[in-house]
Amino acid sequence: MAARWWRRALRGLCGAALFLSQLSVLSGRVGSLVTTKLSQPQSTLAKSLTSTSTNAPYFKAVESTEIPPYLTNCPSNGLCSRLPPDCMTCNTNYSCVYGKTATFDCKVKPHVHCVDENNQEQENFTINMTCQFCWQLATSDYVCTNSTNCMTVSCPRQRYNATCTVRDHIHCLGNRVFPKMLYCNWTGGYKWSTALALSITLGGFGADRFYLGQWREGLGKLFSFGGLGIWTLIDVLLIGVGYVGPADGSLYI
C-alpha cells in the first residue's frame, strides 16, 4: 500500500512539473510576439522620420540686395560737404550758439560714396551750418502742405495745421518734418481785377456775384436791379477793398 502511494505521488509531481514547463514555454512565445508587434510600428516610425529628415529640402539664405531709399538722393563721388542731409549722420554740437555758424562732425551713411576737395574718398568730414532748429528756419527754407478747407477771408484770420518739410539743401537741428500753424492762404483761381470790372460794369445784373460763386446774392441783385443801384455801389466798394471774396473762401490771384 505504501509503495502504491509513493508511485501516485511521484506521478503527480511529474505531471505538475510537465504542466509548469509547458506554461513557461507558452508565456515566452506570447511575450515575444507582443514585443515584436510593439517594436514594429516604432521602427517604421523611425524609418519614416529618418527618410523625411533625409529628403528635406535645403533652403539657402538669400542675401539682401535691397537699395536703401536715401541712395536715390545721394550723388555718387560728389563733395561730402554738399551731400543732402539724408545722406549723412551728424553729431549734435551742444556748444553752438543759437543763430551763429557752427561746425558739426558728420559721417556718410552706408553705401554712400563721396570725396573731399582733393578728390580723395572719405567717410568722416565736417560741415558748417547755422545753430537753429528746423522749425525756426525762414519760410523759404521749407515746404508746407496747403489746406483748401479753411476760409482765407474771415475776421479773425483762420489758421490750419500744416506739415512742413525742410528743403534738401538746408541743414538744421532736430526733425526735418514738423507741424506748424499757418494762416489760410490758397486761391481758387479767381482774379480780383475781373471781379471788380464785373462789379462796375454788370454789377446791376449780379455778374460779379455769379463770378465769385455766390449764386443767391447774384439772383437777388438780378431781380432787384442791383438793389435799385444801391447794392451795386456797395459791392463795388466791398470788392475793391477785398472784403467780398470768392465763395469757396480762397484768395484772389
Side-chain angles (χ1 to χ4, degrees):
M1 292 295 292
R4 290 181 180 179
W5 184 83
W6 282 109
R7 287 179 181 177
R8 291 179 179 177
L10 183 61
R11 288 179 181 177
L13 291 174
C14 291
L18 180 61
F19 175 76
L20 291 175
S21 63
Q22 291 179 354
L23 182 62
S24 63
V25 172
L26 182 61
S27 63
R29 290 181 179 178
V30 173
S32 62
L33 290 174
V34 173
T35 305
T36 304
K37 290 182 179 181
L38 291 176
S39 61
Q40 185 175 2
Q42 294 178 356
S43 61
T44 306
L45 179 60
K47 288 182 180 180
S48 64
L49 292 175
T50 305
S51 62
T52 303
S53 61
T54 304
N55 298 329
Y58 174 72
F59 294 98
K60 186 177 179 181
V62 180
E63 297 181 357
S64 178
T65 58
E66 294 183 358
I67 300 176
Y70 57 81
L71 280 182
T72 57
N73 298 326
C74 303
S76 180
N77 296 327
L79 288 177
C80 295
S81 58
R82 295 186 179 180
L83 286 175
D86 292 338
C87 306
M88 65 180 74
T89 303
C90 299
N91 298 327
T92 303
N93 186 352
Y94 294 100
S95 61
C96 68
V97 180
Y98 172 74
K100 302 293 184 181
T101 303
T103 302
F104 293 81
D105 296 326
C106 302
K107 182 180 180 179
V108 294
K109 290 184 177 181
H111 307 292
V112 177
H113 302 280
C114 63
V115 297
D116 57 8
E117 289 76 4
N118 298 324
N119 204 24
Q120 298 294 327
E121 186 172 355
Q122 62 178 358
E123 294 183 358
N124 300 311
F125 56 95
T126 59
I127 62 171
N128 296 324
M129 65 178 178
T130 305
C131 181
Q132 61 181 351
F133 289 99
C134 296
W135 59 270
Q136 296 173 323
L137 294 171
T139 55
S140 59
D141 293 335
Y142 53 82
V143 179
C144 299
T145 57
N146 202 354
S147 175
T148 58
N149 296 324
C150 59
M151 299 291 291
T152 57
V153 182
S154 62
C155 186
R157 293 183 62 186
Q158 291 186 5
R159 294 174 179 262
Y160 70 97
N161 292 319
T163 301
C164 302
T165 305
V166 181
R167 299 184 184 274
D168 291 337
H169 63 282
I170 302 298
H171 295 273
C172 57
L173 303 177
N175 296 327
R176 300 184 62 81
V177 179
F178 54 90
K180 198 165 187 179
M181 291 290 294
L182 298 177
Y183 285 110
C184 297
N185 185 20
W186 63 283
T187 179
Y190 297 95
K191 293 184 178 180
W192 173 80
S193 58
T194 302
L196 182 60
L198 291 175
S199 181
I200 295 174
T201 57
L202 300 175
F205 301 99
D208 50 353
R209 294 284 184 165
F210 287 125
Y211 172 74
L212 296 176
Q214 301 175 5
W215 297 95
R216 294 179 180 178
E217 292 81 356
L219 292 175
K221 292 183 68 176
L222 177 62
F223 290 110
S224 65
F225 299 102
L228 300 178
I230 299 176
W231 193 349
T232 302
L233 295 177
I234 294 175
D235 273 355
V236 171
L237 295 176
L238 295 179
I239 294 177
V241 299
Y243 185 80
V244 174
D248 57 7
S250 63
L251 293 176
Y252 289 113
I253 297 178

